[in-house]
């Protein structure tokens, strides 16, 4: 897909440039109350674009959302920690307050767009992780200013776009995460594209229920069972776990087969499933992984996710990991640098695969047409 890129903009020297970033990073709170960035990938990933603009003499203002504040300031969504990290990585960039502190952002209110573009000459979108949101800062400025994709956004679209058109086969997708309903569209779309679809994580229980298994107290969406039955009839190979790690009363952790005993909750795939999934991944020439296999934050339920992360790292095909949780898992277990492309967008990458386009990308193409910019 062609997009206007940095080189397509008018000369940025001496211009004021608004850069939409996705600095929605995971934060935790230290014992003394300080908010700590758990993974700064999304900030580091924007540096090439910001440097490119600064090197050419632009005056750069960055903006981002952080968390999901409901249109009003609150301490836990203050961008302070992000501002501090950004200043270390690339000094000289101003960062606006959290965009979602204003209700105009999510509502795509014209008055909020007016405020964002006031005094700006150019707009750059480098917020791949938020490109699926038709929010003011994403779709508004391209209607007002000559606009382009930053380096990160352009690279994400190039890599993920290749999956849609000509993936090397076998193409194996591994999906986890908690809800089938969140991923239904992408599951359908992937079934048309991949050779094997591997399902783990919380959502596998609705599929296990659909294949007639007992799921105990596991997370499930009863109103999705019929849909899962229909998906399981697909001609594409679908691998579900054949064993599970479950948690029961009095913190009892055990391994079971495909059936979860009453009173127990499935929280990870078992070793047999992990081995089968790893075998399928090993043979792939393209792998897309989105969503952990279990509750990997708890060491009792991390083994399935580690096995998948290891298999993806070892795979000789082209490997892509998308989604904050799987990217965080790959980083936590030390596999990130052995993955070909760690996407900064979870929801965005899945929606791009499902729809073939995103509101943020469409806005940039329309802007190029309106302002007569080239695309590449
Ligand atoms: C993300 O982390 O998924 C993106 O930053 C988008 O955030 P949102 O899901 O809150 O819109
Ligand atoms: Mg999200």
């Amino acid at each position: 897909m062609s997009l206007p890129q940095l080189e397509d903009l008018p000369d940025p020297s001496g211009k004021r440039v608004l850069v939409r970033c996705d600095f929605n990073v995971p934060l935790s709170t230290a014992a003394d109350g300080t908010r700590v960035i758990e993974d700064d990938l999304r900030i580091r990933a924007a540096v090439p674009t910001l440097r490119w603009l600064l090197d050419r003499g632009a005056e750069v203002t960055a903006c981002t959302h952080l968390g999901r504040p409901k249109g009003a300031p609150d301490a836990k969504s203050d961008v302070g920690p992000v501002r501090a990290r950004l200043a270390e990585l690339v000094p000289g960039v101003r960062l606006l307050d959290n965009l979602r502190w204003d209700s105009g952002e999510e509502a795509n209110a014209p008055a909020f767009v007016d405020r964002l573009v006031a005094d700006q000459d150019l707009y750059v979108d480098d917020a791949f992780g938020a490109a699926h949101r038709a929010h003011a800062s994403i779709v508004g400025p391209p209607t007002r200013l000559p606009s382009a994709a930053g380096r990160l956004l352009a690279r994400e679209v190039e890599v993920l776009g290749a999956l849609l058109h000509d993936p090397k086969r076998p193409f194996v997708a591994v999906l986890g995460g908690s809800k089938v309903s969140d991923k239904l569209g992408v599951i359908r779309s992937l079934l048309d594209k991949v050779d094997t679809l591997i399902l783990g994580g919380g959502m596998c229980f609705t599929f296990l229920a659909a294949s007639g298994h007992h799921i105990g107290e596991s997370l499930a969406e009863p109103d999705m069972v019929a849909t899962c039955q229909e998906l399981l009839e697909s001609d594409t190979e679908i691998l579900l776990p054949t064993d599970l790690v479950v948690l029961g009363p009095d913190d009892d952790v055990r391994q079971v087969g495909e059936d979860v005993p009453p009173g127990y909750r499935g929280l990870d795939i078992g070793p047999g499933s992990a081995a089968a999934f790893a075998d399928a991944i090993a043979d792939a020439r393209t792998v897309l992984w989105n969503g952990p296999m279990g509750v990997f934050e708890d060491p009792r339920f991390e083994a399935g996710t580690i096995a998948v992360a290891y298999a993806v790292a070892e795979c000789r095909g082209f490997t892509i990991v998308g989604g904050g949780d799987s990217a965080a898992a790959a980083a936590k277990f030390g596999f990130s640098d052995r993955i070909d492309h760690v996407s900064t967008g979870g929801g965005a990458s899945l929606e791009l695969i499902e729809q073939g386009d995103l509101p943020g990308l469409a806005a940039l193409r329309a802007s190029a047409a309106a302002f007569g910019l080239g695309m590449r």
Side-chain angles (χ1 to χ4, degrees):
M1 175 194 302
S2 301
L3 291 172
Q5 299 194 23
L6 296 175
E7 291 78 4
D8 298 308
L9 287 171
D11 180 4
S13 166
K15 300 269 171 49
R16 292 156 302 185
V17 185
L18 178 68
V19 185
R20 176 49 155 110
C21 299
D22 182 351
F23 293 153
N24 186 26
V25 290
L27 290 161
S28 63
T29 307
D32 65 357
T34 334
R35 289 160 64 242
V36 182
I37 297 174
E38 292 288 302
D39 179 9
D40 66 356
L41 169 70
R42 282 177 161 179
I43 310 178
R44 285 183 285 115
V47 169
T49 296
L50 299 171
R51 285 240 172 85
W52 190 94
L53 291 165
L54 292 172
D55 286 350
R56 278 156 190 79
E59 190 186 310
V60 180
T61 301
C63 59
T64 185
H65 71 286
L66 180 64
R68 291 182 173 170
K70 288 280 157 262
D74 68 351
K76 78 175 199 302
S77 60
D78 190 302
V79 299
V82 173
R83 200 173 267 140
R85 183 71 186 120
L86 180 64
E88 286 168 8
L89 288 168
V90 39
V93 173
R94 186 164 76 105
L95 179 66
L96 300 183
D97 279 336
N98 191 336
L99 293 161
R100 291 186 184 170
W101 280 3
D102 194 303
S103 59
E105 166 66 356
E106 295 195 49
N108 187 18
F112 187 58
V113 178
D114 289 343
R115 280 179 34 215
L116 286 174
V117 301
D119 303 325
Q120 300 291 344
D121 303 306
L122 304 171
Y123 170 79
V124 170
D125 186 354
D126 219 13
F128 176 69
H132 57 320
R133 307 289 184 218
H135 294 170
S137 64
I138 309 278
V139 296
T143 64
R144 316 286 187 88
L145 302 173
S147 300
R151 291 283 184 259
L152 167 63
L153 183 73
R155 173 73 184 148
E156 293 269 17
V157 172
E158 181 188 334
V159 170
L160 294 162
L163 284 189
L164 295 177
H165 298 114
D166 193 18
K168 292 212 164 48
R169 297 188 179 277
F171 178 8
V172 174
V174 187
L175 285 187
S178 48
K179 285 187 171 172
V180 180
S181 51
D182 281 354
K183 293 199 174 157
L184 189 59
V186 78
I187 291 172
R188 283 192 201 286
S189 153
L190 284 173
L191 285 172
D192 284 340
K193 297 186 173 75
V194 302
D195 300 289
T196 303
L197 180 61
I198 296 175
L199 298 173
M203 71 171 165
C204 76
F205 297 100
T206 308
F207 281 95
L208 287 171
S211 21
H213 293 290
H214 299 292
I215 57 164
E217 303 302 309
S218 308
L219 200 70
E221 291 170 279
D223 54 346
M224 294 298 295
V225 169
T227 308
C228 290
Q229 268 159 351
E230 173 224 316
L231 294 170
L232 288 170
E233 279 161 23
S234 155
D235 292 334
T236 304
E237 179 182 44
I238 297 180
L239 299 184
L240 283 172
T242 49
D243 59 352
L244 299 159
V245 182
V246 298
L247 175 68
D250 304 320
D251 253 8
D252 178 32
V253 175
R254 45 167 110 158
Q255 281 175 21
V256 299
E258 290 152 302
D259 290 286
V260 180
Y264 282 73
R265 221 156 29 112
L267 293 177
D268 194 12
I269 60 172
S273 314
F277 291 3
D279 282 349
I281 292 166
D283 291 337
R285 293 186 69 202
T286 307
V287 180
L288 172 70
W289 174 32
N290 183 300
M293 296 294 100
V295 185
F296 73 92
E297 297 83 354
D298 182 330
R300 296 173 299 173
F301 310 112
E302 69 180 13
T305 301
I306 294 181
V308 163
Y310 182 72
V312 176
E314 288 280 286
C315 173
R316 293 169 66 186
F318 188 77
T319 54
I320 301 174
V321 173
D325 289 338
S326 8
K332 174 173 174 182
F333 303 123
F335 297 119
S336 298
D337 54 5
R338 288 163 64 201
I339 287 159
D340 292 302
H341 182 76
V342 179
S343 175
T344 53
S349 60
L350 294 182
E351 205 166 308
L352 179 57
I353 289 164
E354 182 186 337
Q355 316 275 349
D357 201 2
L358 296 172
L361 309 180
L364 291 176
R365 294 194 310 270
S367 181
F371 291 94
L373 302 189
M375 296 204 275
R376 57 190 82 207

mmCIF file of all heavy atoms in Angstrom, residues 22 24 42 65 67-68 100 129-130 132-133 135 346-347, ligand 1:
data_model
loop_
_atom_site.group_PDB
_atom_site.id
_atom_site.type_symbol
_atom_site.label_atom_id
_atom_site.label_comp_id
_atom_site.label_asym_id
_atom_site.label_seq_id
_atom_site.Cartn_x
_atom_site.Cartn_y
_atom_site.Cartn_z
ATOM 1 N N ASP A 22 2.410 6.808 19.106
ATOM 2 C CA ASP A 22 1.684 5.964 20.053
ATOM 3 C C ASP A 22 2.656 5.625 21.177
ATOM 4 O O ASP A 22 3.400 4.657 21.098
ATOM 5 C CB ASP A 22 1.146 4.697 19.388
ATOM 6 C CG ASP A 22 0.345 3.856 20.383
ATOM 7 O OD1 ASP A 22 0.376 4.192 21.596
ATOM 8 O OD2 ASP A 22 -0.294 2.883 19.974
ATOM 9 N N ASN A 24 1.656 4.888 24.121
ATOM 10 C CA ASN A 24 0.817 4.201 25.109
ATOM 11 C C ASN A 24 1.595 2.990 25.613
ATOM 12 O O ASN A 24 1.379 1.866 25.164
ATOM 13 C CB ASN A 24 -0.488 3.787 24.429
ATOM 14 C CG ASN A 24 -1.490 3.202 25.410
ATOM 15 O OD1 ASN A 24 -1.456 3.504 26.607
ATOM 16 N ND2 ASN A 24 -2.371 2.351 24.910
ATOM 17 N N ARG A 42 7.794 1.407 22.253
ATOM 18 C CA ARG A 42 7.031 2.357 21.433
ATOM 19 C C ARG A 42 7.674 3.737 21.394
ATOM 20 O O ARG A 42 7.450 4.486 20.438
ATOM 21 C CB ARG A 42 5.591 2.464 21.959
ATOM 22 C CG ARG A 42 4.749 1.279 21.532
ATOM 23 C CD ARG A 42 3.358 1.351 22.100
ATOM 24 N NE ARG A 42 2.439 0.491 21.374
ATOM 25 C CZ ARG A 42 1.150 0.344 21.681
ATOM 26 N NH1 ARG A 42 0.640 1.004 22.714
ATOM 27 N NH2 ARG A 42 0.385 -0.442 20.973
ATOM 28 N N HIS A 65 -1.783 9.415 23.088
ATOM 29 C CA HIS A 65 -2.687 9.078 24.182
ATOM 30 C C HIS A 65 -1.914 8.180 25.135
ATOM 31 O O HIS A 65 -0.855 7.642 24.782
ATOM 32 C CB HIS A 65 -3.949 8.367 23.674
ATOM 33 C CG HIS A 65 -3.701 6.966 23.178
ATOM 34 N ND1 HIS A 65 -3.087 6.708 21.978
ATOM 35 C CD2 HIS A 65 -3.942 5.749 23.734
ATOM 36 C CE1 HIS A 65 -2.983 5.398 21.788
ATOM 37 N NE2 HIS A 65 -3.491 4.783 22.851
ATOM 38 N N GLY A 67 -3.169 5.223 28.062
ATOM 39 C CA GLY A 67 -4.272 4.614 28.797
ATOM 40 C C GLY A 67 -5.618 5.040 28.228
ATOM 41 O O GLY A 67 -5.708 5.485 27.081
ATOM 42 N N ARG A 68 -6.655 4.899 29.047
ATOM 43 C CA ARG A 68 -7.998 5.243 28.577
ATOM 44 C C ARG A 68 -8.711 6.197 29.519
ATOM 45 O O ARG A 68 -9.810 5.905 30.016
ATOM 46 C CB ARG A 68 -8.819 3.968 28.380
ATOM 47 C CG ARG A 68 -8.291 3.148 27.214
ATOM 48 C CD ARG A 68 -9.107 1.907 26.980
ATOM 49 N NE ARG A 68 -8.668 1.233 25.752
ATOM 50 C CZ ARG A 68 -9.050 0.035 25.375
ATOM 51 N NH1 ARG A 68 -9.887 -0.660 26.122
ATOM 52 N NH2 ARG A 68 -8.619 -0.491 24.253
ATOM 53 N N ARG A 100 -6.181 12.087 25.296
ATOM 54 C CA ARG A 100 -7.489 11.620 25.777
ATOM 55 C C ARG A 100 -7.946 12.332 27.047
ATOM 56 O O ARG A 100 -9.005 11.990 27.576
ATOM 57 C CB ARG A 100 -7.483 10.102 25.970
ATOM 58 C CG ARG A 100 -7.389 9.367 24.647
ATOM 59 C CD ARG A 100 -7.522 7.863 24.813
ATOM 60 N NE ARG A 100 -7.323 7.204 23.524
ATOM 61 C CZ ARG A 100 -7.181 5.894 23.365
ATOM 62 N NH1 ARG A 100 -7.212 5.092 24.438
ATOM 63 N NH2 ARG A 100 -7.014 5.375 22.165
ATOM 64 N N GLY A 129 0.284 1.923 16.281
ATOM 65 C CA GLY A 129 -0.552 1.221 17.273
ATOM 66 C C GLY A 129 -1.934 1.814 17.433
ATOM 67 O O GLY A 129 -2.834 1.174 17.976
ATOM 68 N N ALA A 130 -2.126 3.044 16.983
ATOM 69 C CA ALA A 130 -3.431 3.700 17.129
ATOM 70 C C ALA A 130 -4.076 3.997 15.774
ATOM 71 O O ALA A 130 -5.103 4.679 15.709
ATOM 72 C CB ALA A 130 -3.274 4.990 17.946
ATOM 73 N N HIS A 132 -5.843 2.310 13.936
ATOM 74 C CA HIS A 132 -7.194 1.748 13.753
ATOM 75 C C HIS A 132 -8.246 2.582 14.486
ATOM 76 O O HIS A 132 -9.424 2.227 14.475
ATOM 77 C CB HIS A 132 -7.246 0.290 14.201
ATOM 78 C CG HIS A 132 -6.833 0.053 15.639
ATOM 79 N ND1 HIS A 132 -5.776 0.700 16.236
ATOM 80 C CD2 HIS A 132 -7.341 -0.778 16.583
ATOM 81 C CE1 HIS A 132 -5.654 0.271 17.488
ATOM 82 N NE2 HIS A 132 -6.597 -0.617 17.720
ATOM 83 N N ARG A 133 -7.824 3.658 15.130
ATOM 84 C CA ARG A 133 -8.782 4.526 15.842
ATOM 85 C C ARG A 133 -9.048 5.775 15.004
ATOM 86 O O ARG A 133 -8.108 6.509 14.685
ATOM 87 C CB ARG A 133 -8.199 4.955 17.197
ATOM 88 C CG ARG A 133 -7.714 3.825 18.084
ATOM 89 C CD ARG A 133 -8.863 3.034 18.627
ATOM 90 N NE ARG A 133 -8.433 1.992 19.548
ATOM 91 C CZ ARG A 133 -8.995 0.784 19.616
ATOM 92 N NH1 ARG A 133 -9.987 0.446 18.810
ATOM 93 N NH2 ARG A 133 -8.572 -0.094 20.485
ATOM 94 N N HIS A 135 -9.732 8.685 15.635
ATOM 95 C CA HIS A 135 -9.766 9.750 16.636
ATOM 96 C C HIS A 135 -9.216 11.048 16.034
ATOM 97 O O HIS A 135 -8.555 11.031 14.996
ATOM 98 C CB HIS A 135 -8.977 9.334 17.877
ATOM 99 C CG HIS A 135 -9.595 8.177 18.610
ATOM 100 N ND1 HIS A 135 -8.963 7.503 19.629
ATOM 101 C CD2 HIS A 135 -10.807 7.573 18.456
ATOM 102 C CE1 HIS A 135 -9.758 6.539 20.091
ATOM 103 N NE2 HIS A 135 -10.886 6.559 19.393
ATOM 104 N N GLY A 346 -0.955 -4.016 18.356
ATOM 105 C CA GLY A 346 -1.659 -5.288 18.484
ATOM 106 C C GLY A 346 -2.970 -5.229 17.731
ATOM 107 O O GLY A 346 -3.156 -5.840 16.680
ATOM 108 N N GLY A 347 -3.904 -4.426 18.288
ATOM 109 C CA GLY A 347 -5.201 -4.248 17.648
ATOM 110 C C GLY A 347 -5.048 -3.736 16.220
ATOM 111 O O GLY A 347 -5.722 -4.196 15.296
HETATM 112 C C1 LIG B 1 -2.961 0.122 22.094
HETATM 113 O O1 LIG B 1 -2.145 0.073 23.009
HETATM 114 O O2 LIG B 1 -3.678 -0.826 21.781
HETATM 115 C C2 LIG B 1 -3.034 1.380 21.288
HETATM 116 O O3 LIG B 1 -2.218 2.355 21.840
HETATM 117 C C3 LIG B 1 -4.452 1.845 21.177
HETATM 118 O O4 LIG B 1 -4.973 2.050 22.463
HETATM 119 P P1 LIG B 1 -6.534 1.834 22.714
HETATM 120 O O5 LIG B 1 -6.766 0.356 22.531
HETATM 121 O O6 LIG B 1 -6.764 2.295 24.112
HETATM 122 O O7 LIG B 1 -7.260 2.648 21.685
#
